[in-house]
Amino acid sequence: MFANRFIKRAFTTKVEIDGHCLPLKPTWSVQSLLEPMGEPISDKQFKHLLVLSRLSVSKQEEANKLKSEIDQLTQFTEHIKLHDFKEEKPLTHIWKEDVGQILRSDEKIESTNEVRGRELLKYAKEKSGNFYVVRGTMPSSD
């Protein structure tokens, strides 16, 4: 069956392939997804994004680079939005089910004598409303 898939693919593809049915030349490029599509981000939109993100850019060359990167990201997402993913199943793992990280099966354990949820707050040394208060020091950036 595995060999049949290779044979079938070898005869149905319009791209030159090797013995393992891999293309001999690239069939597409990420660069094609970065091609301009629609309007680039305006200076007004860029300044608004900086305000929303509370970022300040001191040098014009840094601002130009950041604006260019934001443009590339928006172009990339515009290309992705063109595709119809209604038939695609959502990913649950980045590996195939039988390869990669081995996941344990978590089973819910019912216990009646276990303290859970907000009841745990009564054991806190310090709290503020429904939140734990943790005292500590912020690490310095030196």
Side-chain angles (χ1 to χ4, degrees):
M1 179 159 180
F2 185 69
N4 288 342
R5 277 192 236 157
F6 274 139
I7 293 169
K8 183 178 179 183
R9 166 100 193 261
F11 292 113
T12 59
T13 185
K14 295 178 182 178
V15 176
E16 286 186 69
I17 55 175
D18 65 9
H20 299 288
C21 293
L22 296 173
L24 295 175
K25 296 178 183 173
T27 58
W28 69 281
S29 166
V30 171
Q31 193 63 35
S32 68
L33 298 177
L34 298 176
E35 292 173 358
M37 194 175 177
E39 294 295 317
I41 186 171
S42 70
D43 288 338
K44 183 178 178 183
Q45 291 171 321
F46 180 66
K47 288 176 184 172
H48 184 65
L49 285 173
L50 289 176
V51 169
L52 290 175
S53 61
R54 295 188 183 261
L55 289 175
S56 63
V57 183
S58 58
K59 297 179 183 175
Q60 186 60 37
E61 60 190 44
E62 289 177 359
N64 291 341
K65 183 180 178 190
L66 182 58
K67 185 178 176 189
S68 171
E69 289 174 356
I70 292 172
D71 268 336
Q72 287 181 343
L73 287 170
T74 55
Q75 297 300 322
F76 184 74
T77 55
E78 288 300 318
H79 282 279
I80 291 172
K81 289 182 347 186
L82 291 175
H83 296 283
D84 181 20
F85 294 103
K86 291 178 184 165
E87 301 297 321
E88 298 293 326
K89 292 181 181 178
L91 283 177
T92 57
H93 306 292
I94 58 172
W95 296 281
K96 292 184 350 184
E97 289 183 24
D98 59 341
V99 177
Q101 185 179 18
I102 299 171
L103 302 174
R104 67 173 196 254
S105 59
D106 288 336
E107 297 174 12
K108 188 174 181 180
I109 299 172
E110 295 294 331
S111 175
T112 55
N113 59 357
E114 188 175 299
V115 180
R116 306 182 83 178
R118 305 248 167 145
E119 296 174 28
L120 291 170
L121 281 169
K122 63 184 169 186
Y123 299 106
K125 289 182 181 178
E126 191 175 349
K127 62 183 176 179
S128 174
N130 289 325
F131 299 97
Y132 293 97
V133 174
V134 179
R135 298 283 177 203
T137 59
M138 295 292 290
S140 70
S141 60
D142 296 336

